Short mmCIF file of all heavy atoms in Angstrom, two decimals:
data_model
loop_
_atom_site.label_atom_id
_atom_site.label_comp_id
_atom_site.label_asym_id
_atom_site.label_seq_id
_atom_site.Cartn_x
_atom_site.Cartn_y
_atom_site.Cartn_z
N THR B 114 49.12 -23.44 2.18
CA THR B 114 48.03 -24.12 1.40
C THR B 114 46.78 -23.33 1.52
O THR B 114 46.74 -22.31 2.35
CB THR B 114 47.64 -25.55 2.05
OG1 THR B 114 47.13 -25.24 3.43
CG2 THR B 114 48.85 -26.52 2.19
N GLY B 115 45.76 -23.61 0.77
CA GLY B 115 44.50 -23.02 0.83
C GLY B 115 43.85 -23.26 2.10
O GLY B 115 43.18 -22.32 2.72
N TYR B 116 43.97 -24.44 2.60
CA TYR B 116 43.45 -24.86 3.92
C TYR B 116 43.92 -23.87 5.05
O TYR B 116 43.24 -23.30 5.85
CB TYR B 116 43.84 -26.32 4.18
CG TYR B 116 43.39 -26.87 5.48
CD1 TYR B 116 42.09 -27.39 5.67
CD2 TYR B 116 44.25 -26.91 6.59
CE1 TYR B 116 41.68 -27.94 6.91
CE2 TYR B 116 43.82 -27.45 7.83
CZ TYR B 116 42.58 -27.89 7.94
OH TYR B 116 42.13 -28.41 9.16
N ASN B 119 42.61 -20.35 4.96
CA ASN B 119 41.30 -20.10 5.78
C ASN B 119 41.55 -20.22 7.22
O ASN B 119 41.10 -19.38 8.07
CB ASN B 119 40.35 -21.14 5.43
CG ASN B 119 39.48 -20.78 4.25
OD1 ASN B 119 39.19 -19.57 3.99
ND2 ASN B 119 39.02 -21.64 3.42
N HIS B 140 33.16 -25.24 3.53
CA HIS B 140 34.32 -26.31 3.27
C HIS B 140 34.88 -26.52 4.77
O HIS B 140 34.83 -25.56 5.61
CB HIS B 140 35.37 -25.67 2.50
CG HIS B 140 36.43 -26.62 2.16
ND1 HIS B 140 37.74 -26.66 2.77
CD2 HIS B 140 36.58 -27.63 1.25
CE1 HIS B 140 38.50 -27.54 2.29
NE2 HIS B 140 37.79 -28.31 1.44
N SER B 142 37.79 -26.48 5.87
CA SER B 142 38.76 -25.52 6.25
C SER B 142 38.22 -24.28 6.85
O SER B 142 38.79 -23.66 7.83
CB SER B 142 39.65 -25.12 5.13
OG SER B 142 38.95 -24.56 4.10
N GLU B 184 31.47 -19.00 0.20
CA GLU B 184 32.36 -19.39 -0.90
C GLU B 184 31.97 -18.75 -2.20
O GLU B 184 30.90 -18.22 -2.25
CB GLU B 184 32.48 -20.93 -0.99
CG GLU B 184 33.05 -21.55 0.31
CD GLU B 184 33.12 -22.99 0.36
OE1 GLU B 184 33.18 -23.76 -0.73
OE2 GLU B 184 33.01 -23.56 1.51
N SER B 188 32.37 -26.37 -3.78
CA SER B 188 33.20 -27.44 -4.46
C SER B 188 32.48 -28.70 -4.62
O SER B 188 32.87 -29.43 -5.60
CB SER B 188 34.38 -27.69 -3.54
OG SER B 188 33.98 -28.06 -2.21
N ASP B 213 35.57 -17.09 0.10
CA ASP B 213 36.60 -18.09 -0.23
C ASP B 213 36.31 -18.44 -1.72
O ASP B 213 35.44 -19.11 -2.01
CB ASP B 213 36.41 -19.39 0.57
CG ASP B 213 37.38 -20.37 0.22
OD1 ASP B 213 38.11 -20.27 -0.76
OD2 ASP B 213 37.52 -21.40 0.95
N ALA B 215 38.17 -20.22 -3.72
CA ALA B 215 39.03 -21.27 -4.06
C ALA B 215 38.70 -21.89 -5.47
O ALA B 215 39.54 -22.02 -6.23
CB ALA B 215 38.82 -22.39 -3.01
N HIS B 216 37.35 -22.06 -5.70
CA HIS B 216 37.03 -22.72 -6.96
C HIS B 216 36.56 -21.74 -8.05
O HIS B 216 36.27 -22.19 -9.21
CB HIS B 216 35.86 -23.82 -6.73
CG HIS B 216 36.25 -24.95 -5.91
ND1 HIS B 216 36.71 -26.15 -6.52
CD2 HIS B 216 36.45 -25.17 -4.56
CE1 HIS B 216 37.12 -27.03 -5.64
NE2 HIS B 216 36.90 -26.39 -4.39
N THR B 244 43.01 -20.23 -3.30
CA THR B 244 44.09 -21.27 -3.36
C THR B 244 44.80 -21.24 -4.73
O THR B 244 44.16 -20.84 -5.75
CB THR B 244 43.55 -22.72 -3.05
OG1 THR B 244 44.56 -23.66 -3.27
CG2 THR B 244 42.38 -23.08 -3.92
N SER B 246 45.90 -24.25 -5.74
CA SER B 246 45.85 -25.61 -5.96
C SER B 246 44.80 -26.04 -6.98
O SER B 246 44.64 -27.19 -7.15
CB SER B 246 45.75 -26.44 -4.72
OG SER B 246 44.40 -26.34 -4.21
N LYS B 247 44.05 -25.07 -7.59
CA LYS B 247 42.98 -25.45 -8.45
C LYS B 247 43.33 -24.75 -9.74
O LYS B 247 44.10 -25.29 -10.60
CB LYS B 247 41.55 -25.09 -7.86
CG LYS B 247 41.50 -25.75 -6.45
CD LYS B 247 40.26 -25.59 -5.72
CE LYS B 247 40.31 -26.01 -4.28
NZ LYS B 247 40.69 -27.41 -4.04
N GLY B 253 49.32 -23.81 -2.45
CA GLY B 253 49.39 -22.63 -1.70
C GLY B 253 48.18 -21.89 -1.63
O GLY B 253 47.21 -22.11 -2.29
C1 PLP C 416 36.33 -23.95 -0.58
C2 PLP C 416 37.67 -24.51 -0.44
N1 PLP C 416 38.45 -23.75 0.44
C3 PLP C 416 39.74 -24.17 0.62
C4 PLP C 416 40.18 -25.41 0.17
C5 PLP C 416 41.59 -25.82 0.53
O1 PLP C 416 42.51 -25.54 -0.43
P1 PLP C 416 43.87 -26.34 -0.67
O2 PLP C 416 43.56 -27.72 -1.09
O3 PLP C 416 44.65 -25.56 -1.53
O4 PLP C 416 44.47 -26.50 0.74
C6 PLP C 416 39.45 -26.04 -0.76
C7 PLP C 416 39.90 -27.34 -1.38
O5 PLP C 416 40.36 -28.24 -0.88
C8 PLP C 416 38.18 -25.59 -0.98
O6 PLP C 416 37.27 -26.40 -1.72
#
Side-chain angles (χ1 to χ4, degrees):
Chain B
T114 64
Y116 178 84
N119 271 330
H140 188 260
S142 56
E184 294 172 32
S188 57
D213 178 353
H216 291 266
T244 175
S246 71
K247 306 186 193 297

